[in-house]
Amino acid sequence: MSSSEDDIPLSKSSYGRAKISPIKAESDSEDDMPLVRKSRPRNVSTSYKEDDSEEEYKEKAVAANGSKRKALSQATKVNGNAKKAKPTVARVKKETSVTPAKSPTSKMLAKKTSVAKVKKESTPVKSGEDQDQEDEEEIFKWWEQDKEDDTIKWTTLQHSGVLFPPPYEKLPKSIKLFYDGQPIDLEPEAEEVAGFFGAMIETDHARNPVFQKNFFNDFVALIKKLGPGKEAKNSKTKETVNLINFSKCDFTKIYAHFEKLKQEKKSISTAEKKKIKLTRDASEEKFKVCYLDGRKELVGNFRIEPPGLFRGRGAHPKTGKLKERVLPEQITLNIGAEAEVPEPPKGHQWGEVKNDNTVSWLATWKENINGTTKYVFLAQNSSLKGMSDFKKFEKARELKNYIEKIREDYMKELKSELMASRQIATATYLIDQLALRAGGEKGEDEADTVGCCSLRFEHITLKPPHTVVFDFLGKDSIRFHQEVEVIPQVFKNLKIFKKEPKKIGDDIFDRLDPAILNKHLQNYMPGLTAKVFRTYNATKTMQDQLDFIKNVGTVNEKVVAYNAANRTVAILCNHQRTVAKTHEASVGKIEDKITELVWQKNQLKKTILLLDKSEKKRRPEFFEDMDSLDRETIQQIHERLLERESEKITKKFARDNEKLKAEGEPVMKQTDLKERLKAVKELQKELQKELKTNKPEIKPNMTVEKCEKQIIKLEERITNTRLQLKDKEDNSQVALGTSKMNYIDPRMTVMFSKKYGVPIEKLFTKTLRDKFNWAIQSADENWRF
DNA sequence: CGTCGTACTTAGGACTAGCCCC
DNA sequence: GGGGCTAGTCCTAAGTACGACG
């Protein structure tokens, strides 16, 4: 059936268990999270990175770097016959860094075109006349437009094509692959592939036997194809054609070489790095933009994917295969008929150039491993992407008008006489309640993952009276493992669907596939498909969660509350991430920090009493917790304190010596260091004494007021750090980003921002603010999903 | 219908800029 | 002012959906 025989020896980590109620979120305790992760291979590093060698594109880029105004007028001309509506021009100050966007609360779907002149973030002084135009750029407020027919994506379209990765640069002569202890000369094309693998030998991918096998097959085939070649100068090398044993290959020299390069790159000065970035940016500038109906829009992935080894996820049978370099001849460009076709790289031709305005891609090619089509699309902040995003959320919003009926119906249909109807009802129940994906069929050559319709016998276990255990790998081979109490009829149905003669490997929903299911759903609402339920339930859950949040407390507290709501959604959608290797350590560090802050606070309280005994009588409860830490903990704090102190002194000593050396002065001796370290000894004595007497040393000029002030500061820091710690713990295996980016209607977040007075910057990163600008501009504090 | 190809959204991990802490 | 860490960004794989085709 599927993959299997030579599968990756992935260690399966222990399964966690959690009861979760079948009806979403609401208030189920966050403590018993149903998230469990199988241990997956982790990609540690890639260093086959394309990079540098900008030369090629430099001249063109400079030419393209003309004035914005020029570009604009040119574009407008092209657009001459496009939209006729008269633009309303509004002046809107564009957000500059941290000012919350002023909401010009505009009506959605207003029947007018409006174009706002927007101040661009201050450009360095421009000379003279056309400064006005240079500083301002027109922003097309598509969300204030009629949403008409969307089969036509554009009327005119111009762009500069795509950016190819730099050509392969041969390794230095001294760096070679070793075979059976001997250095091997390889043709550059083969050497490049050896480099792909060599660079990653320390990653989990490279340790995966399937990856190794696939890589090696392709590698050997390439060498055979190339033949001994002109590089083969010695007899030993001729044997490379017979290179057949992976275990005799030694990539360590190559690996070391790439590591060295990495280090060198890291060590170049910041100024130098900046310069490199600048030239790189300049050479790429023209690819970054395009003109759609005359309006400037950003292009997303204009960089052609560089060659490398395919990093298929999970147990992908093809992982490790060689992903070949893409040539211009393989690329199809899509561009307006009126536009000038960008020049292909020297000595090359475009595969094809077409003018299809029913699609949004600018370029496409076929990738050689799975034969899938890759596209170059516009950036996330483009109008095209924005519009379809908007539509997606409006569609999900529309579902709320039908959801009741749909639920009512599937409850009835669960008992249908017709097997097909019963399966549809059961599947809809699961998709609605558990936010499962549709689950289309997959091929033999892909990782064995499933969704609702493709669930198999072995993926669910029935536990009477009506608990179902789901355990399967979903998209990206992320494990879905939940124990769910379902309604009795669903339990009964699943039992039927699993009944003999069904066995392991058989589909649960044997009368169903996403097409059938979606067709059924369209009966309720045009355009309704399985995935809409995920969007609907995600945003609905978010709204319900946000509604619980009281409008009190600090901004930080509100952000934490928002994140908690976001987390509920992420859990619903099973958005996971691997726990960072450094997680445990960093949690430990924060915990240590908190106890240290508590200790400091306690010290201050004791100091107050030493300064003025009467305080204790005045407010005994204030001093109740000043001995909250036990002796051992305090001792640990002391140790850390002392260690830090001596480290600091040692470092300072080293620095001072460096300085002296540089100035040609005689350096200090180790005894001088010892002298300096005496201060630490002093401190140690002091602390030891404190530990005995339980009385802190009083610093000169200390007053009760000063102590009070510091205590308040410390308490603030303690709550903040605790908050931070909790957030970190709760988020360690949940990925919040995916739901925020794809499932939660951004207008919900904008509503929260406005209603609760939380700057949008605290909720959306820069990229998200750009992507969701339409939502920021159009939603207010009363917005409801 | 079932299969396939195309076009688009959704996804987690790799990489990195910049922030914070010392 | 440098190093460690993390949040944010980049990259591209892996889904969904749908229409054409036989």
Side-chain angles (χ1 to χ4, degrees), chain A residues 165-184:
Chain A
Y168 177 62
E169 220 174 285
K170 273 194 264 182
L171 295 175
K173 286 261 183 281
S174 57
I175 311 297
K176 294 211 186 307
L177 169 69
F178 279 64
Y179 187 71
D180 208 6
Q182 298 294 317
I184 298 293

Side-chain angles (χ1 to χ4, degrees), chain A residues 399-414:
Chain A
L399 175 54
K400 82 181 163 194
N401 302 321
Y402 302 90
I403 192 77
E404 241 171 83
K405 173 87 174 111
I406 293 172
R407 286 177 176 160
E408 219 172 82
D409 280 7
Y410 71 56
M411 289 304 247
K412 266 188 243 149
E413 293 289 310
L414 285 172

Side-chain angles (χ1 to χ4, degrees), chain A residues 286-321:
Chain A
K286 67 166 181 171
F287 297 106
K288 288 186 173 148
V289 300
C290 67
Y291 294 89
L292 188 146
D293 290 352
R295 296 182 307 267
K296 190 176 185 174
E297 301 261 15
L298 294 185
V299 181
N301 54 329
F302 54 85
R303 251 180 270 271
I304 295 297
E305 295 174 13
L309 301 180
F310 175 65
R311 288 146 123 94
R313 300 180 188 157
H316 194 122
K318 292 186 176 180
T319 193
K321 280 181 72 64

